[in-house]
Amino acid sequence: MTKPNRIIPVLLSAILFISASYGQTEKERIESYINTYKDLAISEMQRTGVPAAITLAQGILETGGGQSDLAALAYNHFGIKCKAEWTGETISHTDDAKDECFRKYSCVQDSYKDHSDFLNSRPCYAFLFKLAPTDYEGWAKGLKKAGYATNPAYAQKLIALIVENHLQNYTLAALNYQSPHEEMLANVKSDMILNETDLAKPATLKVSEEKTKKVLYPVNTVFNINELKVIYAETGTSLFAVANNYSISLKKLLDYNDLAEETDILNAPQLIYLEKKSKKGNKDIHIVEANETLHDISQEEGIQLTTIFEYNGLQKGMEPAMGEKIYLKFPAPSSPRLAAAANYNTVSSM
């Protein structure tokens, strides 16, 4: 059976987009751009890890909502210049200087793919992939710092586009789903409450009465937390298989993740570290969420469980109450209230 050609639908969408964009307001052009290319941004994030929100914001900014000459004549949506390694077609365009050499593509899909590969392959952008994919501010400022654009307001422009057009939803959609479908965005919108503070952190989602928080991570991909290599393993994953896949002994893998010796098949999804966790977190404190254990916090923050006990004056078997501060970089001024004590006080006051 011949595989369907994914380029044809993208080309048709691009043609329809260009035809419909004339006479539109700026807001309408941006909305049309997002609707046309959101699936490309999502699929590229799943392929390479470049956040969909960043990709869409850059595409909107670089093309003026799809109106630029580079987009119309060369399908170049990200203003990528030729560079020494480029062997494809080119086009001359005046940008920072007159008649500069820019890359020319055969379709928009190739432009999106090349943009992802450009960021993923150049050393100056490597530090970006250590950031959380939901940290759009870090990515925007990092792109400017690495020299992607000369405009001093480039990062602020990207951030404004992401916030004003709710582009973070597409990053969340890419993290939470294996393939881009229209229904995913509806699920994200109905189940998540986003604000400007939450957008820069891994998103939370109410999933059940047993566990009220679900942090969204890339699936089947090695990424970094606290500068440590980690994967997100789903329910039913064999840790023996994970250990073999990454050439780690099962004993070490269990030790890295503070798991019992007999653990193999996971009965719930969780982060699995591929190296020993750090003795310090990358932030000062963690606020305890509902139903969150110290082991959960240790995994989410990439910090050794024994260090959490030591810094916070706790012992094995003790669990902090919801809303308490857990110190990750230095000793706490006092131990947190315990969950059992908090429950007792609640009952006594009724």
Side-chain angles (χ1 to χ4, degrees):
M1 179 182 291
T2 303
K3 292 184 179 180
N5 190 336
R6 294 183 60 197
I7 295 178
I8 293 174
V10 175
L11 282 172
L12 291 174
S13 296
I15 292 168
L16 291 173
F17 167 72
I18 293 170
S19 301
S21 63
Y22 291 102
Q24 290 180 323
T25 65
E26 181 182 9
K27 187 176 188 308
E28 289 171 337
R29 284 199 303 271
I30 290 174
E31 288 178 354
S32 182
Y33 187 96
I34 293 167
N35 289 332
T36 303
Y37 301 119
K38 64 182 186 296
D39 288 345
L40 268 180
I42 289 170
S43 63
E44 281 303 305
M45 178 173 172
Q46 291 172 338
R47 186 177 71 88
T48 66
V50 179
I54 287 293
T55 298
L56 286 169
Q58 284 193 279
I60 293 167
L61 183 57
E62 296 287 347
T63 67
Q67 299 295 295
S68 72
D69 289 341
L70 278 176
L73 301 175
Y75 296 112
N76 189 330
H77 279 230
F78 300 96
I80 299 180
K81 298 178 182 179
C82 295
K83 304 296 182 183
E85 72 274 13
W86 180 248
T87 58
E89 290 189 68
T90 65
I91 186 173
S92 294
H93 177 72
T94 298
D95 186 41
D96 296 324
K98 186 178 180 180
D99 293 333
E100 292 181 277
C101 182
F102 284 82
R103 301 183 183 190
K104 184 177 181 180
Y105 307 98
S106 60
C107 62
V108 180
Q109 186 180 40
D110 287 349
S111 177
Y112 268 69
K113 182 178 183 297
D114 190 48
H115 168 260
S116 301
D117 293 341
F118 184 84
L119 295 180
N120 209 17
S121 62
R122 299 180 79 84
C124 62
Y125 299 116
F127 72 97
L128 292 173
F129 293 87
K130 294 182 180 181
L131 301 175
T134 49
D135 183 6
Y136 64 87
E137 288 194 12
W139 271 82
K141 293 173 182 177
L143 284 168
K144 177 64 182 74
K145 180 180 178 181
Y148 190 97
T150 57
N151 187 334
Y154 190 77
Q156 287 70 31
K157 288 177 179 290
L158 291 181
I159 292 168
L161 282 168
I162 291 169
V163 173
E164 291 168 7
N165 297 284
H166 310 289
L167 300 184
Q168 183 77 331
N169 285 332
Y170 300 100
T171 291
L172 298 175
L175 286 171
N176 201 30
Y177 293 84
Q178 288 299 301
S179 59
H181 296 295
E182 289 299 323
E183 67 210 62
M184 70 174 65
L185 191 53
N187 290 338
V188 169
K189 286 181 177 178
S190 63
D191 289 336
M192 293 184 178
I193 300 175
L194 300 176
N195 57 48
E196 290 189 19
T197 302
D198 293 330
L199 286 172
K201 301 183 296 183
T204 57
L205 167 65
K206 292 184 178 179
V207 289
S208 69
E209 292 182 0
E210 295 181 0
K211 197 75 173 175
T212 60
K213 187 177 80 168
K214 178 182 178 183
V215 181
L216 305 180
Y217 299 105
V219 177
N220 300 324
T221 302
V222 178
F223 56 102
N224 291 78
I225 293 178
N226 200 14
E227 299 186 1
L228 300 165
K229 292 179 181 178
V230 60
I231 63 169
Y232 184 68
E234 298 181 300
T235 302
T237 297
S238 166
L239 293 182
F240 179 77
V242 171
N244 282 340
N245 287 342
Y246 294 99
S247 302
I248 304 170
S249 72
L250 179 59
K251 183 180 186 307
K252 281 188 176 181
L253 191 69
L254 296 176
D255 286 344
Y256 293 162
N257 294 279
D258 301 294
L259 295 172
E261 289 184 7
E262 65 274 12
T263 306
D264 180 15
I265 305 300
L266 294 180
N267 56 16
Q270 66 170 287
L271 293 163
I272 297 295
Y273 285 84
L274 305 178
E275 53 187 320
K276 191 172 184 179
K277 286 179 286 187
S278 174
K279 290 187 176 182
K280 285 186 181 292
N282 61 5
K283 60 185 183 184
D284 292 344
I285 62 170
H286 177 103
I287 305 299
V288 181
E289 300 279 350
N291 301 322
E292 191 171 43
T293 67
L294 289 176
H295 182 264
D296 293 335
I297 296 169
S298 170
Q299 296 298 99
E300 184 174 337
E301 301 291 353
I303 179 173
Q304 294 177 22
L305 187 56
T306 53
T307 299
I308 292 179
F309 288 145
E310 180 184 341
Y311 280 170
N312 296 277
L314 298 170
Q315 298 178 5
K316 188 174 181 180
M318 295 180 174
E319 295 295 348
M322 182 179 70
E324 289 295 288
K325 294 179 180 179
I326 297 300
Y327 285 75
L328 307 175
K329 280 189 173 180
F330 46 83
S334 61
S335 297
R337 289 182 308 126
L338 299 182
N343 291 338
Y344 174 79
N345 290 337
T346 301
V347 172
S348 300
S349 61
M350 292 179 64

